[in-house]
Amino acid sequence: MKQIFESGENYLETILVLHQRTGFVRAIDIATELSFSKPSVSRAMSVLREAGHIDVARDGQITLTESGRAIAEKIYERHQLLTEYLTALGVSPEIAAEDACRMEHVISEESFQKLKEHVQNQRK
């Protein structure tokens, strides 16, 4: 399987979120959500399809494959937890979400797990 880059992770996360929100995802929905051009999204969908992370039906519906869903859920979990943590520290929700979007791609698995444990302990 090819290595997936940050932009690919963002696309997969967006597909996951849009599917949860509406149940049906097309390239135009992704372009609208991310404020990207339709050609840019179409190219990214081709790359993700070739890598085996998404399926595209004849009607244009985009669905995550097992590998795509695993990546998307991992990134989405990181995004949610990092946003929550930064907000709890007093960062504004908008800035926390923006920073979490950048941090979710670079934080190591070890650091994320420790941060996750810390947040879960704080909730108790």
Side-chain angles (χ1 to χ4, degrees):
M1 186 182 309
K2 290 182 182 176
Q3 179 184 1
I4 187 160
F5 295 98
E6 181 177 331
S7 62
E9 291 176 344
N10 282 334
Y11 279 113
L12 294 173
E13 180 183 19
T14 300
I15 293 166
L16 176 71
V17 169
L18 287 172
H19 189 268
Q20 289 173 345
R21 190 184 306 156
T22 66
F24 190 91
V25 181
R26 299 164 301 160
I28 190 68
D29 303 320
I30 298 166
T32 301
E33 182 76 11
L34 297 175
S35 299
F36 290 168
S37 71
K38 177 93 165 57
S40 294
V41 173
S42 293
R43 174 69 184 124
M45 294 306 101
S46 293
V47 170
L48 291 172
R49 190 182 71 249
E50 289 168 14
H53 298 309
I54 64 167
D55 289 319
V56 182
R58 287 192 180 276
D59 65 0
Q61 182 172 8
I62 298 167
T63 55
L64 295 169
T65 63
E66 190 175 319
S67 67
R69 177 168 291 284
I71 294 166
E73 288 176 348
K74 174 182 147 188
I75 295 300
Y76 187 62
E77 177 190 27
R78 287 175 173 216
H79 182 91
Q80 294 293 97
L81 187 115
L82 290 165
T83 300
E84 176 186 340
Y85 186 67
L86 292 171
T87 303
L89 292 175
V91 177
S92 74
E94 298 79 21
I95 298 297
E98 289 175 19
D99 288 346
C101 196
R102 289 189 292 276
M103 294 166 65
E104 67 197 24
H105 303 284
V106 296
I107 191 171
S108 70
E109 186 62 28
E110 179 182 357
S111 292
F112 178 73
Q113 288 305 319
K114 292 299 181 186
L115 183 61
K116 184 176 174 180
E117 288 173 23
H118 175 75
V119 169
Q120 289 169 341
N121 289 334
Q122 294 299 310
R123 289 179 186 155
K124 294 178 184 175

